[in-house]
Amino acid sequence: MSYRFVVVGAGISGLSNAFFIKQLFPKAKITLIESSNRVGGMITTTKENQFICEEGPRSIKRGKYDRPLFYMIDKIGLYPELVTSVQQPYSYIYWEGGLKSIPQQKNLQTISRFIKENRKDELLNLMKAVPKILFPNQKSDNLGEYFDEIVGKELTQKYAETAFYGLYGESVYKLSKNMCLSKIYMSSYDEDILAMDLIYDDEFEQIRMKKLMKANSYRFAYGLDSLPKRILRYLKDNSKEQNLEIQLNTKGKEIDVEQRQLVTENENQEIKRIEYDYLFLNIPSSEIVSMLENSTLNGIKEDLKKIKNNSIITRNICWDQKILPPDFRGLGYLVNPNQNQNILGMVADSLQFPKQYPKKSTSLTVMTIKDVKDDEVLAELSSHLGVKVQDPKMIMKKHWMKNFIQFQPGYYENLQRLEKELENMKIIIGGNHYTMVIPELVYLAYSKMKQLYV
Ligand SMILES: Cc1cc2nc3c(=O)[nH]c(=O)nc-3n(C[C@H](O)[C@H](O)[C@H](O)COP(=O)(O)OP(=O)(O)OC[C@H]3O[C@@H](n4cnc5c(N)ncnc54)[C@H](O)[C@@H]3O)c2cc1C
């Protein structure tokens, strides 16, 4: 079918939409609208002083939902640039004045260190809870209450509160279990069915088995932004001119629902109307609300307004020397929100991906919620690590304003209602309305396209 697809937002979600349109509807016309001057959205790689700074996502985690993203990496030819992470024995949480280790590898050494720094009964209770966490029941949608039920309040406060605050910037008692743990929006994922449609080439399959399956996470040699850039190049190289239109510096301004037209405005304030058969919106809900301002879709606007967002500040900090204590061998650490600290968490980039940084250097990412001074961040980092950190070579700071959706209890019901109402008008929402995790975003883009194909 030669549908006209209009995709708004050229982050990883919008680009994945365009990629899978190309795969499933080769004759379709795709128009990609992006308000900034580049593709990639939150994926932001900056190279300075020999340091690769991933200011947004810093790596892609391997997991259960990898096939559509792997398939895309295969097809765009990015796999020779794969860099896999070095496994670390621990991650850490900051609790009662110090870092406590959490085993990442289940061997005697890591487990006995956990018991020494914590308690044996904690370990047993956490282990007993694992099957329940992996297969949660669907009764209550409050994540905190759910953890209280299976591990008790004390362990919820210490571990669940730390982990989820670090990931979502919100207390577990204000988070939805269905979105954060059960991930019911991913329930349609079926590896066997996908394996019939998304077939890897032999060369990629070998790399996948040899390299990827053993790693926790991965990056690309020249930065994560190679992913969006290469998808764009693939689209350009594999489309007839009349079938692909990419408009950067162009904002989706208004949706004319009756006429099925998207109104856009470019940097020269030129207004254009683009007709669509299907409109994909991979942009924040606040943007969609403003695009529907003149419409009478009041119910939809109300549902969209219920979606709230959090902000964080990241700092990529680089030193041309080793600054971590020798026994720090972890992915990073997360800080319990009740410990009265500014730092929300730290990611040890150069420990995870040493090949990407100059020898004997250190590169960390530190997250805070409040806008505190660099000096305060460095002093707190020193106290957490138990060493005085030297003045860094470089600090790159970025505000992520309202980029993190608060998945409150009941969020999924609201999203489903919204999804249905919009679908009736051939409008499909994706992206961070579902998840922040890149492989999941790519699967969602694929599955939404596949639904149209069937
Ligand atoms: C600091 C940080 C760390 C992260 N770490 C990780 C990680 O380690 N691993 C991981 O998997 N994920 C991580 N994430 C999450 C991940 O980066 C995001 O979930 C993902 O990049 C979102 O992609 P998207 O395409 O859905 O949205 P975005 O990347 O936000 O793209 C949306 C695009 O739409 C454009 N746009 C907005 N409004 C309009 C409009 N009206 N018209 C046209 N265009 C518009 C924007 O300019 C943008 O390019 C992290 C995110 C941040 C901020």
Side-chain angles (χ1 to χ4, degrees), residues 74-92:
D74 177 6
K75 288 289 164 283
I76 62 176
L78 190 54
Y79 55 88
E81 290 171 30
L82 277 166
V83 181
T84 50
S85 60
V86 172
Q87 293 235 17
Q88 296 294 332
Y90 308 104
S91 59
Y92 300 89

Side-chain angles (χ1 to χ4, degrees), residues 318-346:
C318 307
W319 293 261
D320 49 15
Q321 57 196 300
K322 298 272 177 208
I323 65 113
L324 291 169
D327 68 337
F328 187 99
R329 293 178 57 214
L331 309 170
Y333 67 84
L334 291 172
V335 178
N336 184 279
N338 302 316
Q339 303 293 303
N340 212 10
Q341 302 292 300
N342 288 311
I343 294 179
L344 178 67
M346 179 275 264

Side-chain angles (χ1 to χ4, degrees), residues 8-14 33-36 38 40-43 55-61 250-253 282-284 287 291 312 314 400 403-404 430-432 435-439 441:
V8 187
I12 188 61
S13 302
I33 304 292
E34 167 56 48
S35 56
S36 75
R38 55 177 273 277
M42 290 186 206
I43 301 178
E55 295 186 79
R58 50 221 56 263
S59 65
I60 303 178
K61 212 167 159 27
T250 303
K251 197 173 155 61
K253 198 175 158 62
N282 295 293
I283 53 176
E287 287 289 312
M291 285 163 80
I312 63 160
T314 54
W400 293 94
N403 276 94
F404 293 85
N432 285 159
T435 172
M436 293 292 287
V437 185
I438 290 173
L441 289 170

Side-chain angles (χ1 to χ4, degrees), residues 3-251:
Y3 288 125
R4 289 159 304 177
F5 290 99
V6 175
V7 180
V8 187
I12 188 61
S13 302
L15 288 165
S16 306
N17 270 146
F19 176 88
F20 288 113
I21 293 172
K22 195 88 227 70
Q23 299 288 311
L24 293 167
F25 303 92
K27 290 185 190 153
K29 174 155 199 296
I30 307 170
T31 308
L32 187 57
I33 304 292
E34 167 56 48
S35 56
S36 75
N37 61 1
R38 55 177 273 277
V39 295
M42 290 186 206
I43 301 178
T44 319
T45 311
T46 314
K47 287 155 208 145
E48 243 183 85
N49 297 329
Q50 295 179 281
F51 291 106
I52 279 201
C53 292
E54 297 294 357
E55 295 186 79
R58 50 221 56 263
S59 65
I60 303 178
K61 212 167 159 27
R62 263 216 46 246
K64 283 197 282 186
Y65 309 115
D66 286 340
R67 188 168 277 265
L69 176 55
F70 281 176
Y71 177 80
M72 200 156 69
I73 291 171
D74 177 6
K75 288 289 164 283
I76 62 176
L78 190 54
Y79 55 88
E81 290 171 30
L82 277 166
V83 181
T84 50
S85 60
V86 172
Q87 293 235 17
Q88 296 294 332
Y90 308 104
S91 59
Y92 300 89
I93 62 168
Y94 179 82
W95 177 258
E96 292 182 345
L99 296 183
K100 315 280 178 204
S101 64
I102 312 283
Q104 291 295 306
Q105 293 159 2
K106 288 172 199 66
N107 56 35
L108 207 59
Q109 198 188 357
T110 60
I111 290 172
S112 57
R113 182 164 167 184
F114 177 91
I115 293 171
K116 210 168 102 198
E117 289 173 355
N118 301 278
R119 293 195 321 254
K120 196 173 180 178
D121 64 313
E122 278 190 6
L123 180 70
L124 293 176
N125 285 337
L126 288 172
M127 277 165 61
K128 269 194 250 160
V130 168
K132 293 185 193 156
I133 294 170
L134 291 178
F135 305 101
N137 68 36
Q138 301 298 329
K139 265 187 260 154
S140 156
D141 192 27
N142 186 305
L143 189 61
E145 287 170 13
Y146 179 70
F147 276 117
D148 281 352
E149 211 179 288
I150 59 172
V151 290
K153 264 203 176 339
E154 195 191 329
L155 294 189
T156 301
Q157 293 285 335
K158 183 169 173 183
Y159 294 105
E161 193 68 301
T162 314
F164 286 91
Y165 195 75
L167 290 174
Y168 296 99
E170 194 56 88
S171 163
V172 265
Y173 296 98
K174 289 191 181 163
L175 287 173
S176 152
K177 171 167 65 68
N178 289 335
M179 292 304 288
C180 303
L181 204 62
S182 322
K183 306 211 164 187
I184 53 179
Y185 55 90
M186 292 300 285
S187 57
S188 62
Y189 188 97
D190 185 327
E191 181 68 27
D192 294 338
I193 292 180
L194 288 174
M196 288 192 280
D197 281 352
L198 304 176
I199 301 165
Y200 305 136
D201 292 341
D202 291 346
E203 207 175 320
F204 175 76
E205 180 59 8
Q206 277 175 21
I207 291 186
R208 188 178 76 93
M209 296 306 283
K210 263 201 215 137
K211 238 178 154 179
L212 276 174
M213 297 315 279
K214 291 185 201 134
N216 276 334
S217 55
Y218 57 96
R219 284 182 169 188
F220 304 107
Y222 304 103
L224 274 188
D225 69 351
S226 297
L227 178 63
K229 284 180 183 162
R230 293 285 273 278
I231 301 172
L232 186 69
R233 194 200 296 167
Y234 175 90
L235 289 170
K236 286 181 177 169
D237 289 350
N238 291 281
S239 306
K240 289 190 183 137
E241 209 177 303
Q242 68 271 24
N243 285 354
L244 178 70
E245 199 178 337
I246 295 161
Q247 299 183 11
L248 299 181
N249 298 311
T250 303
K251 197 173 155 61

Side-chain angles (χ1 to χ4, degrees), residues 333-362:
Y333 67 84
L334 291 172
V335 178
N336 184 279
N338 302 316
Q339 303 293 303
N340 212 10
Q341 302 292 300
N342 288 311
I343 294 179
L344 178 67
M346 179 275 264
V347 183
D349 298 302
S350 53
L351 271 190
Q352 285 187 52
F353 295 97
K355 281 192 194 141
Q356 288 199 304
Y357 297 92
K359 270 200 176 128
K360 295 191 179 149
S361 71
T362 309

